[in-house]
Amino acid sequence: MSWTPRSLRNPGIMTPLSTPRDTPRMTPFELKFMELERLKKEISRHLGKLNSVRNRYMDWFDKRRQSFVDAVKLLQITFPLLVPKEHNTMKQFRELYKTAKSLPKRGLPVEKCADRIAEFLQFVDELVELKVTHDLLYDKLCAYCDSVSRIREQDKKDNVDELQKTLTKAMSEDFDYDSVHNERDNLYTYKVAQHDHKFHGLLSYVPYVLKVATNMCYWSCQIYLEKE
C-alpha cells in the first residue's frame, strides 16, 4: 500500500492555516489604541492638505501679492463712493469683490481687478471647505477622549480645545484680520511695502488661519491613551 500525504488525501478540502482559537484577541486597551492611531492618520492627511495650501499661498504671495494690492487700490481710487478705503473683515472684503465683479465691461483696466481679487479669495474659500473636515475630526477626537477613562497629559487636549476656539473665531466673516500681527511663524508677510502696510492684516489672514489649524493638528497627534 502506497503512502499518500495527508494534504492530498482530500484535495477539495483546504486545511486552515489557523483557527479562531489560534488568533490572539486584542484587549480593550489595544482596540482603543488602534482607534486613536487611525484617527491620527486621518488628522495627518488633513495636515497634508493644510500644508499644501500654505505652500501655494506662499508662492502666490511672492509672485502675485503686488498685483493683488494694486487691484484693490485701483478699485478704491476709481470708485471711492462704492469701494470703502478701509476694510478689516472678510465680510467687508467680499463686498468689495462683489463690486469689482459687477462692473460693466467697457475695456477699462479696473475691470481686471475682480480676477486679481478672486485669486486671493480662492485660498480663503479653500480654508472654509477644509474647516468642515477640521471640525469633523475635532468632534471625532472629542468623542474618543470621552470614551476612554484617561488620556496621557490632559493639558494637550486642553490646548487642542483652545486652538479650536481660536480657529472658529478666526474663520468668522466678522473676524478683524487687522488684529493679526507679530506673527513670528509667518515673517514673510512683512514683505509688504511700507506704503501698503494697511494691507498687511488682510495678507496675513490666510497664514494666520493655517498656523492655528496646523498647530491644532500637531497637538492632536500628541495625545496618547494612558494605560490603567
Side-chain angles (χ1 to χ4, degrees):
M1 181 176 179
S2 61
W3 177 78
T4 304
R6 183 177 180 181
S7 60
L8 299 179
R9 293 175 192 172
N10 295 296
I13 302 176
M14 296 295 293
T15 303
L17 297 177
S18 63
T19 64
R21 182 178 298 177
D22 299 324
T23 304
R25 293 184 178 181
M26 298 181 72
T27 65
F29 174 82
E30 291 171 330
L31 289 171
K32 297 304 290 186
F33 175 84
M34 294 303 298
E35 181 183 343
L36 180 58
E37 289 303 302
R38 288 192 295 270
L39 178 55
K40 287 182 179 181
K41 287 182 179 179
E42 287 188 63
I43 294 172
S44 294
R45 286 194 293 269
H46 179 65
L47 176 60
K49 294 178 181 179
L50 293 171
N51 285 332
S52 174
V53 177
R54 182 186 62 182
N55 292 336
R56 285 186 281 114
Y57 183 82
M58 290 177 68
D59 184 64
W60 175 87
F61 186 91
D62 286 338
K63 298 176 181 178
R64 306 285 291 171
R65 76 172 184 276
Q66 195 57 53
S67 62
F68 165 75
V69 169
D70 291 342
V72 176
K73 291 196 295 185
L74 181 58
L75 269 174
Q76 292 172 329
I77 294 172
T78 308
F79 303 102
L81 298 179
L82 296 176
V83 181
K85 290 185 178 181
E86 304 296 332
H87 48 80
N88 64 333
T89 68
M90 200 51 59
K91 183 178 181 179
Q92 293 172 339
F93 190 75
R94 288 188 187 278
E95 288 298 322
L96 181 148
Y97 173 63
K98 287 181 181 178
T99 300
K101 200 174 179 182
S102 65
L103 295 177
K105 302 300 180 183
R106 294 179 294 180
L108 300 176
V110 72
E111 295 164 17
K112 298 180 181 179
C113 293
D115 293 336
R116 302 287 185 270
I117 296 172
E119 292 176 5
F120 172 81
L121 285 177
Q122 283 179 354
F123 290 104
V124 179
D125 291 338
E126 193 168 354
L127 290 179
V128 172
E129 293 178 5
L130 287 172
K131 179 65 163 55
V132 176
T133 303
H134 198 96
D135 289 346
L136 290 174
L137 290 172
Y138 174 70
D139 290 343
K140 282 186 179 182
L141 182 64
C142 290
Y144 175 84
C145 291
D146 290 340
S147 71
V148 297
S149 57
R150 185 166 51 188
I151 60 174
R152 192 184 307 169
E153 297 177 283
Q154 176 64 39
D155 60 307
K156 292 181 179 179
K157 174 58 168 58
D158 296 339
N159 196 20
V160 171
D161 293 337
E162 288 302 314
L163 286 168
Q164 174 68 4
K165 293 177 183 177
T166 301
L167 182 62
T168 299
K169 180 180 178 181
M171 290 297 295
S172 168
E173 290 283 290
D174 294 320
F175 174 73
D176 180 6
Y177 47 65
D178 282 345
S179 64
V180 177
H181 53 80
N182 296 329
E183 291 296 300
R184 291 178 294 177
D185 296 330
N186 298 311
L187 291 177
Y188 71 91
T189 60
Y190 288 91
K191 293 179 182 178
V192 178
Q194 185 61 37
H195 58 270
D196 291 329
H197 185 70
K198 66 178 182 179
F199 291 96
H200 178 260
L202 176 62
L203 290 167
S204 298
Y205 175 71
V206 170
Y208 171 73
V209 170
L210 286 169
K211 187 193 76 169
V212 176
T214 54
N215 281 350
M216 189 173 166
C217 289
Y218 169 78
W219 286 111
S220 295
C221 290
Q222 299 306 307
I223 293 175
Y224 294 94
L225 179 62
E226 186 73 77
K227 192 170 185 179
E228 296 182 354

